[in-house]
């Protein structure tokens, strides 16, 4: 069993993916599953075609990443990265993908995808060890609820919502079975090793909160019966910085809204919601659904906290086992907004993550929504989060 990662900054998509493939081709067998991430400048059709031609028996899964991708080798903008899991003995893997529009029955579609992915793995009737989800933004909460319902018990989940560079919809998700710009893709993992996970916000609670009193899916209109724009500006003290018609993606990364996801020793842990923009009808659009009656907390993250967070996520996995766990490799999911906020420090993040991972290979896309499993066992969708899984003996 082995994991190999590779990355290329070549601006020609075919040359870039061939450079990545070359490193994996040094192995005597084909990978059981390939994960691939690249930025919107690259050609998804050419990349997937090359992967299928070179590894016709490998499962393939991935999505576009915001502005950059990171591996254990480096943080690279306008790049293509590849991650191969060589598990030739009893490990099994399956993928499934579907295009959907707004009228689709998301829960039914998710059940269909899971059934197909499990059939594709050849492990009918068995619970997978891990589910990997890549969807286009908009329905992640419904998808996760459907995944939990399908299995009847929460199976560990990791995922990231497809991203582009400027929230303009220039994103893709794909498997070896197809490429779509609006839909859901799922992989099921039955590895011949152990899997451990962690999902963290890494932000502090400012102890300021209010109740969402008027919402519409991912748009908040009122908090405590007051206009959300007024409340948010008051909470963040950013009235002179953010206008009423502005993309908030990079400007307010330090100030997400938090909702309690669970408790550990009576201390709450949070899933975050990232404001995207103020709407023309007085609302604040976010990257996650907000229900009326939910308590919203003003969260705060210093740059230093965000820089050290990926290492702390891995450390929490290792600390949970209370042993000198040696990873074979891993998958890390990191929020695009957080990355943009600390972009000049991403080489430092890469170095600290390598140390935490014991220099095992990993891949890390930058996504517009993160999915994972909290320590308390809940699978959830959040923003400005960090999610990780480690494969180990």
């Amino acid at each position: 069993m082995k994991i190999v990662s590779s990355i290329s900054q070549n601006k020609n998509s075919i040359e870039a993916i061939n450079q990545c493939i070359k490193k994996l081709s040094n192995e005597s067998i084909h990978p059981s599953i390939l994960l691939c991430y690249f930025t919107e400048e690259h050609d998804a059709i050419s990349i997937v075609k090359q992967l299928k031609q070179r590894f016709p028996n490998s499962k393939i899964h991935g999505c576009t990443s915001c502005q950059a991708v990171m591996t254990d080798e480096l943080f690279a903008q306008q790049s293509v990265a590849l991650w191969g899991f060589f598990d030739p003995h009893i490990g099994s893997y399956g993928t499934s993908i579907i295009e959907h529009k707004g009228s689709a029955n998301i829960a039914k579609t998710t059940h269909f995808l899971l059934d197909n992915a499990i059939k594709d793995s050849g492990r009918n009737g068995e619970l997978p060890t891990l589910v990997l989800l890549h969807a286009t933004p908009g329905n992640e909460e419904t998808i996760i609820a459907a995944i939990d319902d399908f299995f009847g018990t929460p199976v560990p989940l990791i995922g990231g919502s497809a991203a582009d560079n400027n929230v303009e919809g220039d994103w893709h998700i794909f498997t070896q079975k197809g490429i779509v710009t609006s839909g859901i893709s799922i992989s099921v993992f039955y590895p011949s090793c152990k899997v451990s996970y962690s999902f963290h916000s890494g932000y502090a609670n400012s102890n300021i909160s209010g109740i969402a009193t008027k919402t519409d899916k991912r748009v908040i209109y009122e908090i405590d019966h007051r206009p959300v724009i007024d409340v948010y500006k008051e909470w963040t003290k950013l009235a002179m910085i953010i206008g009423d018609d502005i993309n908030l993606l990079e400007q307010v990364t330090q100030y997400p809204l938090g909702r309690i996801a669970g408790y550990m020793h009576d201390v709450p842990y949070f899933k975050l919601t990232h404001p995207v923009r103020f709407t023309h009808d007085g609302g604040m659009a976010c990257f996650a659904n907000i229900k009326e009656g939910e308590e919203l907390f003003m969260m705060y993250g210093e740059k230093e906290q965000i820089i050290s967070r990926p290492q702390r996520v891995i450390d929490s996995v290792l600390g949970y086992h209370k042993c000198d766990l040696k990873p074979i490799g891993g998958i890390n999911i990191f929020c695009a907004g957080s990355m943009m906020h600390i972009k000049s420090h991403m080489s430092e993040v890469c170095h600290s993550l390598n140390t935490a991972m014991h220099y095992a290979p990993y891949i890390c896309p930058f996504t517009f929504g993160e999915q994972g499993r909290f320590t308390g066992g809940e699978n959830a969708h959040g923003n400005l989060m960090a999610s990780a899984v480690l494969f180990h003996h």
Side-chain angles (χ1 to χ4, degrees):
M1 177 184 299
K2 189 175 184 180
I3 292 174
V4 179
S5 66
S6 57
I7 192 165
S8 172
Q9 291 181 286
N10 193 309
K11 290 181 171 52
N12 181 291
S13 297
I14 293 177
E15 292 179 7
I17 192 59
N18 282 337
Q19 287 172 1
C20 292
I21 287 171
K22 185 177 180 181
K23 184 175 178 182
L24 273 69
S25 298
N26 292 332
E27 304 301 316
S28 59
I29 58 173
H30 286 188
S32 305
I33 187 167
L34 290 164
L35 303 185
C36 182
Y37 303 103
F38 49 83
T39 51
E40 68 173 46
E41 297 88 356
H42 287 283
D43 181 5
I45 294 174
S46 297
I47 288 171
V48 175
K49 182 179 178 181
Q50 290 295 105
L51 289 174
K52 289 172 68 175
Q53 287 179 348
R54 183 61 185 84
F55 303 113
N57 298 317
S58 299
K59 306 302 165 66
I60 301 167
H61 197 183
C63 68
T64 45
S65 176
C66 178
Q67 300 186 10
V69 189
M70 186 167 65
T71 70
D72 49 291
E73 186 176 343
L74 80 161
F75 167 82
Q77 299 186 65
Q78 297 187 27
S79 58
V80 177
L82 197 57
W83 181 95
F85 197 173
F86 298 83
D87 191 10
H89 302 299
I90 62 172
S92 300
Y93 305 84
T95 66
S96 188
I97 188 170
I98 196 166
E99 184 174 16
H100 75 73
K101 301 301 181 182
S103 59
N105 184 321
I106 300 301
K108 185 177 180 180
T109 299
T110 302
H111 287 185
F112 172 80
L113 285 168
L114 287 165
D115 190 54
N116 279 1
I118 292 170
K119 287 178 180 176
D120 188 47
S121 73
R123 301 288 282 266
N124 289 357
E126 295 183 50
L127 281 177
T129 303
L130 177 72
V131 173
L132 171 63
L133 168 66
H134 288 310
T136 51
N139 297 293
E140 295 92 336
E141 293 93 345
T142 306
I143 296 167
I144 292 170
I147 291 171
D148 288 346
D149 176 67
F150 180 87
F151 292 117
T153 183
V155 169
L157 171 73
I158 190 170
S161 306
D164 61 3
N165 290 347
N166 298 295
V167 203
E168 295 176 346
D170 295 324
W171 45 57
H172 296 81
I173 57 173
F174 55 89
T175 71
Q176 77 277 7
K177 299 173 184 177
I179 305 167
V180 302
T181 57
S182 178
I184 309 168
S185 60
I186 286 173
S187 288
V188 290
F189 285 59
Y190 298 85
S192 57
C193 65
K194 296 178 181 178
V195 176
S196 298
Y197 54 86
S198 187
F199 190 38
H200 278 263
S201 76
Y203 283 65
N205 177 11
S206 69
N207 294 316
I208 300 172
S209 69
I211 303 298
T213 47
K214 184 179 179 182
T215 68
D216 182 12
K217 297 180 180 177
R218 296 193 166 190
V219 180
I220 308 169
Y221 288 98
E222 293 181 1
I223 296 177
D224 292 336
H225 302 288
R226 296 176 57 209
V228 66
I229 296 175
D230 294 345
V231 174
Y232 190 73
K233 287 181 176 180
E234 180 182 296
W235 283 3
T236 59
K237 297 180 173 60
L238 292 175
M240 300 302 293
I241 300 174
I242 55 178
D244 293 342
D245 186 17
I246 189 170
N247 186 318
L248 301 177
L249 186 64
E250 294 188 51
Q251 283 77 7
V252 300
T253 301
Q254 282 183 278
Y255 304 100
L257 299 173
R259 290 167 292 158
I260 295 175
Y263 293 84
M264 183 62 62
H265 306 300
D266 297 325
V267 178
Y269 50 88
F270 296 84
K271 54 185 175 183
L272 303 182
T273 300
H274 192 181
V276 182
R277 64 184 177 277
F278 292 135
T279 63
H280 292 295
D281 58 354
M284 186 168 72
C286 301
F287 270 128
N289 291 346
I290 305 293
K291 296 178 182 178
E292 291 181 6
E294 286 192 289
E295 186 172 13
L296 303 177
F297 293 81
M298 184 76 260
M299 308 294 288
Y300 181 77
E302 295 281 2
K303 275 192 174 182
E304 291 74 14
Q305 291 174 295
I306 300 172
I307 292 168
S308 65
R309 182 176 60 173
Q311 180 175 357
R312 287 186 281 116
V313 171
I314 300 301
D315 288 343
S316 72
V317 177
L318 303 180
Y320 175 77
H321 286 270
K322 295 182 174 61
C323 63
D324 188 19
L325 184 152
K326 299 290 186 182
I328 301 165
I331 305 167
N332 293 283
I333 308 290
F334 195 87
C335 172
S338 296
M339 177 275 293
M340 288 187 282
H341 186 55
I342 61 168
K343 186 183 288 186
S344 62
H345 298 276
M346 286 305 298
S347 294
E348 180 184 341
V349 172
C350 183
H351 175 74
S352 65
L353 195 50
N354 284 345
T355 302
M357 289 283 298
H358 295 272
Y359 299 94
Y362 64 86
I363 196 165
C364 178
F366 301 101
T367 58
F368 283 165
E370 297 73 52
Q371 297 89 49
R373 190 178 194 183
F374 287 109
T375 305
E378 308 93 344
N379 286 329
H381 165 73
N383 310 136
L384 298 168
M385 306 285 286
S387 188
V389 295
L390 298 185
F391 299 91
H392 58 94
H393 294 296

